[in-house]
Amino acid sequence: MENKISVGLLGLGVVGSGVIKLIENHQDKLAHQLGCSVQVKSVLVRNLEKARDVEINGTVLTTNPDDVLNDPEIDIIIEVMGGIDETRKHILKAFSAKKHVVSANKDLVALHGPELQEAANQNKCDFYYEASVAGGIPILRGIVEGLSSDHIQQVMGIVNGTTNYILTQMDSEGVSYEDALKEAQELGFAEADPSSDVDGLDAARKMAILGRLAFSTSVDLEDVEVTGIRGIELEDLQYGDKLGYTMKLIGFANFDDHELEVNVQPTLLAKSHPLAAVKNEFNAVYVYGEAVGETMFYGPGAGSLPTATAIVSDLITVIKNLRLGVTGNQWIEPHFKKALKTAEKRHAQYYVRLFARDEAGVFSTISSLFHERDISFKRILQTPDKKREYAEIIFITHDTTLENFRNALENLHELDAVMEVKSYYKVEGDAVT
Ligand code: HSE
């Protein structure tokens, strides 16, 4: 094998700079592991004049994608430019030119992963994307390799740092959603337009990728039901806290009887659950395997060097595959045909907060309504409000089907005694109070 591997980079933003730094700083380690040196030969950038916070020694910057994608000396392309349509074309072109690709692009992999994987396969190329989910946490490798011997049943993830930061601040500082979001923006966690984070789309993309790999079935982005944290009220976190739960934006994926459920939603998580301890901008993915039981992977979900560690680890894997002559073999077709679980088969506990008339018999009407749908209550809190002459009622149900819960909720809205169903959330785990 050659004693130097040349790499082309698409993009030189925060993550691209981290990749250059890591490759530069780890030359000894790379040479020791791989028996060759690794050089970033050229980088596709938008603006040649822009000041960079990384030293570019002997690397060519270009605004012409073909300078990178058609360079015969380049074996591996690292894509850190983001975006979807243009980037997809670059990657397909790279595969046609028999170049291996490492990508950090969750948006692209969630939307076009199967197509890109197929193109890689046809061209006997590698395609790795560890950095696309949970930044520096080696979760895709953990699932695909570390747990390849097991049958994974459930994956639950805190896979968005921005929303975890906002919810942690609301919880620990008692600030409103709006104030916590503003603070996250000032600190640079949240974008000026925070929609894809706070509306749950970023987490949904990551869960689609996790679901595919964990359960060996196809998962499209539309299969992931999404509810974000926009407008979440402090009162629900406070009542949750009283009852032994903490609010998290949880990506949930479950696979049993060969049926799949994937969703992202604010969830009241028992404080005893391992994910409840994950605070601020940190990410974690909890994986339950039939044989291994509970496992959890924790770490930074974003940032220049953490994300670069995942990318450079992928790069090392590709180079090892090249040395062994086994590139283009990592893709195995999904084992199971996709079947989504219906609402009758989806089980959970639920938290409900409502305002009702403070009169005799109201609570019994509400509980009969739930009882008729076979739903029993696990915890109940009631706070009378003398000034407003209504009661705020909070309850947590025992495990029920989504279908029964939806029906009960619909009928709850119709009761004369119920003035407003203020909020409801999924509940995970058993609180010890
Ligand atoms: N915007 C993401 C987050 C980081 O807040 O976790 C990149 O995936």
Side-chain angles (χ1 to χ4, degrees), residues 202-367:
D202 176 81
R205 289 168 169 155
K206 294 166 182 165
M207 290 310 296
I209 299 170
L210 281 171
R212 280 174 202 156
L213 297 177
F215 308 131
S216 191
T217 186
S218 45
V219 182
D220 295 313
L221 195 52
E222 306 85 77
D223 301 328
V224 187
E225 279 182 19
V226 192
T227 310
I229 66 160
R230 201 185 280 270
I232 212 159
E233 292 190 2
L234 193 53
E235 283 87 340
D236 291 308
L237 273 77
Q238 289 167 339
Y239 287 128
D241 182 58
K242 256 191 199 165
L243 294 164
Y245 298 87
T246 183
M247 184 73 85
K248 297 284 180 193
L249 183 68
I250 296 290
F252 178 91
N254 177 276
F255 192 66
D256 55 26
D257 271 345
H258 298 166
E259 289 186 337
L260 173 77
E261 169 185 1
V262 192
N263 53 63
V264 171
Q265 57 188 307
T267 301
L268 282 165
L269 195 66
K271 287 183 198 169
S272 54
H273 193 285
L275 284 172
V278 180
K279 310 264 191 223
N280 293 316
E281 73 278 21
F282 279 91
N283 281 200
V285 183
Y286 167 95
V287 181
Y288 190 90
E290 194 178 273
V292 73
E294 292 186 305
T295 63
M296 193 163 97
F297 302 73
Y298 170 90
S304 175
L305 286 175
T307 308
T309 62
I311 293 167
V312 177
S313 295
D314 279 350
L315 175 66
I316 290 171
T317 303
V318 177
I319 298 173
K320 282 183 177 166
N321 288 348
L322 276 168
R323 288 187 71 93
L324 294 168
V326 295
T327 53
N329 281 308
Q330 88 276 25
W331 189 60
I332 305 170
E333 283 231 34
H335 189 185
F336 301 106
K337 202 164 175 292
K338 180 168 72 184
L340 297 175
K341 262 190 211 173
T342 59
E344 283 162 72
K345 291 194 182 163
R346 289 170 55 181
H347 284 259
Q349 307 164 66
Y350 293 93
Y351 159 105
V352 178
R353 175 161 71 101
L354 55 85
F355 293 125
R357 292 189 208 292
D358 200 358
E359 310 168 344
V362 168
F363 195 79
S364 124
T365 313
I366 294 172
S367 78

Side-chain angles (χ1 to χ4, degrees), residues 10-84:
L10 305 179
L12 189 52
V14 175
V15 175
S17 305
V19 170
I20 293 206
K21 280 182 202 158
L22 211 61
I23 291 177
E24 196 55 42
N25 296 345
H26 290 188
Q27 277 299 326
D28 268 3
K29 183 168 182 178
L30 290 169
H32 178 71
Q33 287 190 78
L34 302 169
C36 63
S37 66
V38 178
Q39 183 212 16
V40 179
K41 188 173 176 212
S42 52
V43 186
L44 174 69
V45 295
R46 286 190 210 287
N47 176 2
L48 293 173
E49 312 306 326
K50 189 175 162 187
R52 312 278 166 190
D53 75 341
V54 62
E55 270 188 51
I56 312 286
N57 297 320
T59 297
V60 177
L61 301 191
T62 174
T63 55
N64 180 358
D66 289 337
D67 289 346
V68 184
L69 298 170
N70 286 338
D71 183 338
E73 283 182 17
I74 288 178
D75 294 305
I76 305 166
I77 301 289
I78 296 178
E79 183 272 304
V80 282
M81 63 189 279
I84 296 179

Side-chain angles (χ1 to χ4, degrees), residues 96-118:
S96 302
K98 310 289 178 209
K99 300 189 191 309
H100 310 283
V101 175
V102 170
S103 171
N105 193 330
K106 62 190 172 263
D107 306 6
L108 183 66
V109 177
L111 281 174
H112 299 293
E115 179 203 14
L116 296 174
Q117 194 67 75
E118 173 136 25

Side-chain angles (χ1 to χ4, degrees), residues 3 48 57 59 68 86 108 123 125 163 178 201 247 277 281 289 291 299 321 329 392 403 408 420:
N3 55 12
L48 293 173
N57 297 320
T59 297
V68 184
E86 186 192 356
L108 183 66
N123 289 289
C125 291
T163 47
E178 287 75 17
L201 183 60
M247 184 73 85
E281 73 278 21
N321 288 348
N329 281 308
E392 189 174 36
E403 187 185 39
E420 188 184 1

